[in-house]
Amino acid sequence: MTNASRTQLFDIRNLAWDEDLCRLFGIPKDILPEASDSDAEFGETTLDGFFAHPVPIRAVLGDSHAALFGQGCLNKGQVKATYGTGSSVMMNIGETPAVSRHGVVTSIAFARGGKVYYCLEGNINYTGAVITWLKDDLGLIQSAGETGELAESASPEDHTYLVPAFTGLGAPWWRDDVRGILTGISRTTRRAEIVRAALDCIAYQITDVLRAMEEDAGIPIQELRVDGGPTKNRYLMQFQSDIADLPVLVPPAEELSGMGAAYCAGLSLGIYSEEQLFAGTNRKAYRPEMAAAIREEKLAGWQAALEQVLKK
């Protein structure tokens, strides 16, 4: 059902292919496959003889949904953010779908044990891709690993902001008609300040999505669980914690999507329990250290930069 919910053809409330949408897209409903629970029996495989005996296939989830599961966000109100080329931020909202009025979308988180769990999701176009832009297009860095140290060396008096709307803005703005801006630069703005602005904009965008989710779900977020390559960047993770005013928890493994599918399959087969999988996860925690006044000043600067882009 997670993959079916991505087609624009699936009614996530009635859990069936939608007659009107199929007609709108010109797709015969009878050619579409059955939409199954995430932990259904999907058959078995030897991977073309790689295994000596057939192995059961007992989990199928979409990428972001599997990361939500792999993060152990099984309860209402738990949130994860995957930092990739772009970012997917997801909140488990339980067994009742909520209609978003603040720029995120409602989808199916996963279906297991005969129950369907819904989520709010916000997709951001440019997160890790901003670092790639610094390296491959601007030539300001040689590797992504340099960015943390450069950001930490930047002047605290500099107020440079980057809004990375290279091909528009995703959630919660959904504006494909705008373009990016580097604003607030001064004579003393150097390479380090631009690199810091590039890292900071990742955290600002994710924080905007988190606030939209809180408004839609009516649930205060208690912590943010994160995964993906950029989570190795200590500066970015600390700034994310500071600007969102939330604990940010980084698991030992980066690829939570693959882990989530494996966890779901193992649970459906009774190989292990949820307590074994999630209770003892040793996560690195970043906690807010920034003074509230500084946080509000930085957020106000980000909003002002956004407004310069959005009013175009």
Side-chain angles (χ1 to χ4, degrees), residues 114-128:
K115 295 181 180 180
V116 176
Y117 298 85
Y118 293 90
C119 65
L120 292 174
E121 182 177 17
N123 286 305
I124 297 166
N125 295 342
Y126 287 93
T127 53

Side-chain angles (χ1 to χ4, degrees), residues 21-203:
L21 288 171
C22 287
R23 190 179 307 112
L24 180 66
F25 283 94
I27 297 174
K29 185 179 171 184
D30 57 7
I31 72 169
L32 296 170
E34 176 187 353
S36 301
D37 286 2
S38 306
D39 62 352
E41 296 184 21
F42 292 93
E44 53 186 27
T45 182
T46 64
L47 285 181
D48 290 331
F50 182 80
F51 297 118
H53 304 284
V55 173
I57 303 170
R58 287 301 303 271
V60 173
L61 299 98
D63 186 16
S64 297
H65 315 77
L68 185 74
F69 196 89
Q71 285 279 19
C73 294
L74 308 185
N75 300 311
K76 186 175 180 178
Q78 291 185 302
V79 185
K80 72 88 189 176
T82 298
Y83 295 70
T85 302
S87 279
S88 164
V89 186
M90 268 191 177
M91 171 192 275
N92 184 331
I93 57 171
E95 297 177 49
T96 304
V99 176
S100 172
R101 293 178 174 83
H102 295 87
V104 293
V105 298
T106 309
S107 188
I108 292 176
F110 39 78
R112 57 186 293 259
K115 295 181 180 180
V116 176
Y117 298 85
Y118 293 90
C119 65
L120 292 174
E121 182 177 17
N123 286 305
I124 297 166
N125 295 342
Y126 287 93
T127 53
V130 177
I131 301 173
T132 303
W133 174 69
L134 291 176
K135 173 177 167 288
D136 295 345
D137 299 296
L138 295 189
L140 292 181
I141 56 173
Q142 296 297 314
S143 68
E146 297 175 46
T147 57
E149 186 175 345
L150 276 168
E152 288 170 352
S153 72
S155 169
E157 303 303 319
D158 188 83
H159 301 288
T160 299
Y161 287 88
L162 170 67
V163 181
F166 301 126
T167 55
L169 288 170
W173 311 109
W174 302 114
R175 289 282 301 274
D176 61 3
D177 62 326
V178 299
R179 290 298 176 264
I181 188 172
L182 188 67
T183 184
I185 63 174
S186 67
R187 176 64 182 80
T188 57
T189 301
R190 306 163 300 154
R191 179 170 70 120
E193 284 71 30
I194 294 173
V195 169
R196 184 180 64 186
L199 289 181
D200 289 355
C201 77
I202 297 172

